[in-house]
Amino acid sequence: MINTTTSIRVRYGETDPMKYVYYGNYAEYFEVARVELFRSLGMSYDEIEKRGIFLPVSEYKIKYLKPALYDQLLEIRTYVRKIPGIRIEFDYEIYNEENVKITEASTTLFFLDSESNKIVKCPDYLMELIEKKWNPNIEN
């Protein structure tokens, strides 16, 4: 498994009149967390794209346990629990400042060759970085 933690402070423009984070903004939070996970592996998302691979989202599932509120500092814990093939699956947990889990989510992305527009397996250069950081002994 690979896991990272990313912090995001809720901005006013991301909230509704109750100062709850608007539900549509969570997808962007998870994108930030995924990008940071790739960066922690040693390769930016931009570099992956420059090498001809896109990662479109094919599935997105979320469970709201409690609201995230304006100006809260959120901690997004991101996990890759399975070695990728043609897909890579991410699990997320969001915790508030009191360390209370407020959201659970998952996304599935697939590897898409930008030239052929065909689904491909995880590129070797990325798989090598994943395998270097992979820790089978981590459990959540």
Side-chain angles (χ1 to χ4, degrees):
M1 175 166 52
I2 296 171
N3 67 311
T4 58
T5 300
T6 305
S7 295
I8 293 178
R9 184 167 301 278
V10 176
R11 296 171 292 191
Y12 185 79
E14 297 167 342
T15 63
D16 63 19
M18 297 179 293
K19 297 193 177 152
Y20 289 13
V21 170
Y22 176 70
Y23 78 94
N25 288 318
Y26 286 85
E28 189 170 337
Y29 292 171
F30 300 136
E31 181 179 358
V32 168
R34 281 194 306 275
V35 166
E36 291 305 317
L37 185 138
F38 282 122
R39 190 181 316 281
S40 79
L41 295 176
M43 183 168 289
S44 71
Y45 195 86
D46 186 50
E47 180 62 27
I48 295 168
E49 289 184 340
K50 285 178 182 173
R51 291 185 181 208
I53 296 294
F54 292 143
L55 285 156
V57 174
S58 63
E59 292 181 38
Y60 175 40
K61 181 179 177 184
I62 188 164
K63 183 175 183 179
Y64 304 99
L65 306 171
K66 293 182 181 235
L69 304 171
Y70 169 62
D71 204 39
Q72 279 186 331
L73 185 62
L74 305 178
E75 183 177 274
I76 305 170
R77 299 176 190 172
T78 308
Y79 306 89
V80 175
R81 300 179 196 278
K82 295 186 235 176
I83 295 286
I86 61 170
R87 293 177 187 82
I88 185 166
E89 298 173 20
F90 297 88
D91 293 320
Y92 313 90
E93 296 173 341
I94 299 180
Y95 290 81
N96 64 18
E97 292 171 322
E98 290 79 38
N99 201 34
V100 173
K101 183 168 40 171
I102 62 171
T103 308
E104 298 173 346
S106 63
T107 55
T108 301
L109 290 74
F110 58 92
F111 297 95
L112 185 71
D113 183 282
S114 63
E115 287 186 26
S116 68
N117 209 31
K118 298 207 185 272
I119 296 172
V120 297
K121 69 178 184 69
C122 180
D124 291 341
Y125 61 85
L126 191 53
M127 188 61 81
E128 288 173 16
L129 294 173
I130 290 168
E131 287 173 347
K132 276 186 200 174
K133 297 278 185 165
W134 194 263
N135 187 342
N137 299 318
I138 297 176
E139 289 187 28
N140 182 22

